[in-house]
Amino acid sequence: MNKRIAVLGSTGSIGTQTLDVIAHHPELFSLEAIAGGHNVELLAEQIRQFRPKLASVATRDLADKLKTLVPAGTRVVYGDEGLIEVASANDADFVVTAVVGNQGLRPTLSAIEAGKHIGLANKEPLVSAGHLVTAAARRMGTSLLPVDSEHSAIFQCLNGERRDEIKKITITASGGSFRDRTREQLEGVTVEQALNHPNWSMGAKITIDSATMVNKGLEVIEAHWLFDMPYDQIHVLLHPESIIHSYVEFKDSSIIAQLGNPDMRVPIQYALSYPNRLSSPAKPLDLAEIASLHFRPMDYVRFPCLRMAFECGRLGGTAPTVFNAANEVAVARFLRGEITFLQIESVIEECLNRHSVQPNPQIGDILEADRWAREAAAAIS
């Protein structure tokens, strides 16, 4: 195989697990380029282990520091342009986009235009600009391979199947940190409580998004674009154990599901090795040990952010961009202690109420809607 990989967001949860997969199969994968953010010490450690030719950090000062910590064979760049260079201006065959938020949009588009295949762990490019990203991928003949466990599950369930025979796809949701609490019991919850996810080990932002169900809403919009699926054929089901990662129902009422223990290295590795399967360090699933699985219908009153995501997806245009950007700012404000947990959803809803949706936006329109939403969300009390 000898696939050359670039990783955007290498110091985050998905990024570090991607490097773990690469380390388990050094004969098949090599790290060509890498981009971290502000964690220079961890990034330097990764560079010393994998020896990529190119590395990027957030700022010039961090780049100057990184240069003193890494071998001479690694060129160091920084900022948004550095991120784009790691995504596109190198010999990588495959780019894993694992940065957080909408900063992944331009690098993802640049990687596609450079002919790279994409391992998509960053939902926001498809959420904000799905029509542009999918059109570019079709034009360039590049693959968009899902890294999220839910989308990887659907992708695997659809292998060899005809798309016109799909009845619906169902994305499962763990319910996050507060899945067993009523809305009244969410009053006054702390950041520490919100970050205590029962199933998955993830970064702070995505863990909060799991608790609000924004993350599932972003996955719904992403699934719409990845699988060319109408929103009426996309369903969400609460499944606390996170063993069934998602499933597909066909016209004949047959259902194909993908199961496994909660371990992100499995979908990451499948994206890297596709269409092949490799041995994995993940713990095998023992259904007898699990003994029982549980399911609950989705409650859109209890989780209004998921309702808003479906509404924004159906509206299209700049609505999903505003939904995503407002959420990013609201989550950051919650993590800083500026607003309560329940105010995250009210900030998002207020931004959506104030926004005039622009249909068929181009990249400049999307970036402007993103900027406007961030400013609006920062000012809402």
Side-chain angles (χ1 to χ4, degrees), residues 159-193:
N159 276 345
E161 302 292 340
R162 288 177 48 174
R163 300 302 172 94
D164 61 352
E165 294 178 347
I166 300 170
K167 183 177 180 180
K168 66 179 181 180
I169 63 176
T170 296
I171 300 172
T172 56
S174 71
S177 312
F178 304 131
R179 63 192 177 199
D180 297 319
R181 297 197 187 202
T182 65
R183 290 190 61 77
E184 291 72 23
Q185 291 171 331
L186 294 176
E187 295 284 352
V189 296
T190 66
V191 170
E192 290 72 25
Q193 289 171 324

Side-chain angles (χ1 to χ4, degrees), residues 3-318:
K3 188 176 289 185
R4 295 169 295 185
I5 312 292
V7 178
L8 309 182
S10 67
T11 56
S13 174
I14 297 297
T16 54
Q17 291 178 89
T18 299
L19 295 186
D20 186 51
V21 170
I22 293 172
H24 273 87
H25 298 284
E27 75 286 1
L28 301 177
F29 307 122
S30 60
L31 190 65
E32 184 75 19
I34 192 170
H38 293 84
N39 191 343
V40 173
E41 287 73 20
L42 178 55
L43 184 60
E45 183 181 318
Q46 293 172 340
I47 293 168
R48 289 192 294 268
Q49 178 180 356
F50 292 94
R51 300 299 178 101
K53 298 172 187 173
L54 180 66
S56 179
V57 284
T59 67
R60 181 196 291 269
D61 289 345
L62 291 175
D64 291 339
K65 180 178 180 181
L66 184 63
K67 289 174 185 177
T68 68
L69 301 174
V70 300
T74 299
R75 186 165 64 87
V76 177
V77 293
Y78 65 91
D80 290 341
E81 295 309 311
L83 198 59
I84 289 172
E85 190 169 351
V86 168
S88 58
N90 53 68
D91 293 327
D93 311 297
F94 192 87
V95 179
V96 176
T97 62
V99 294
V100 175
N102 218 31
Q103 71 172 143
L105 174 55
R106 288 179 62 213
T108 300
L109 285 170
S110 297
I112 292 170
E113 294 294 345
K116 318 290 188 185
H117 298 290
I118 307 297
L120 202 62
N122 175 216
K123 303 173 182 65
E124 288 80 4
L126 281 184
V127 170
S128 292
H131 60 302
L132 299 181
V133 173
T134 53
R138 284 193 298 270
R139 185 176 70 253
M140 297 302 300
T142 61
S143 302
L144 298 174
L145 296 177
V147 168
D148 272 346
S149 60
E150 295 84 356
H151 300 96
S152 178
I154 294 166
F155 181 71
Q156 293 178 62
C157 291
L158 292 177
N159 276 345
E161 302 292 340
R162 288 177 48 174
R163 300 302 172 94
D164 61 352
E165 294 178 347
I166 300 170
K167 183 177 180 180
K168 66 179 181 180
I169 63 176
T170 296
I171 300 172
T172 56
S174 71
S177 312
F178 304 131
R179 63 192 177 199
D180 297 319
R181 297 197 187 202
T182 65
R183 290 190 61 77
E184 291 72 23
Q185 291 171 331
L186 294 176
E187 295 284 352
V189 296
T190 66
V191 170
E192 290 72 25
Q193 289 171 324
L195 290 175
N196 186 27
H197 196 286
N199 298 357
W200 298 94
S201 174
M202 305 180 292
K205 195 264 183 183
I206 193 172
T207 303
I208 302 301
D209 283 353
S210 179
T212 62
M213 209 63 80
V214 163
N215 191 52
K216 208 53 51 177
L218 299 178
E219 289 175 7
V220 166
I221 299 171
E222 185 181 5
H224 165 75
W225 291 109
L226 273 175
F227 306 114
D228 193 23
M229 191 66 52
Y231 284 99
D232 290 345
Q233 290 177 255
I234 303 174
H235 296 248
V236 179
L237 181 70
L238 264 174
H239 171 42
E241 292 86 2
S242 297
I243 296 297
I244 296 178
H245 299 306
S246 282
Y247 60 87
V248 179
E249 182 178 349
F250 296 89
K251 289 181 177 179
D252 63 356
S253 298
S254 296
I255 291 177
I256 297 178
Q258 191 265 336
L259 289 72
N261 283 311
D263 190 325
M264 282 304 301
R265 291 174 298 178
V266 175
I268 291 168
Q269 180 172 284
Y270 189 66
L272 293 183
S273 66
Y274 179 80
N276 303 310
R277 293 186 185 269
L278 307 173
S279 62
S280 168
K283 178 186 175 183
L285 176 65
D286 185 340
L287 285 174
E289 179 184 335
I290 297 293
S292 61
L293 301 175
H294 301 86
F295 308 93
R296 283 182 260 163
M298 182 50 59
D299 184 343
Y300 293 92
V301 175
R302 168 63 179 80
F303 296 106
C305 289
L306 183 55
R307 168 187 55 78
M308 286 186 268
F310 268 103
E311 291 170 354
C312 288
R314 289 187 172 102
L315 278 172
T318 50

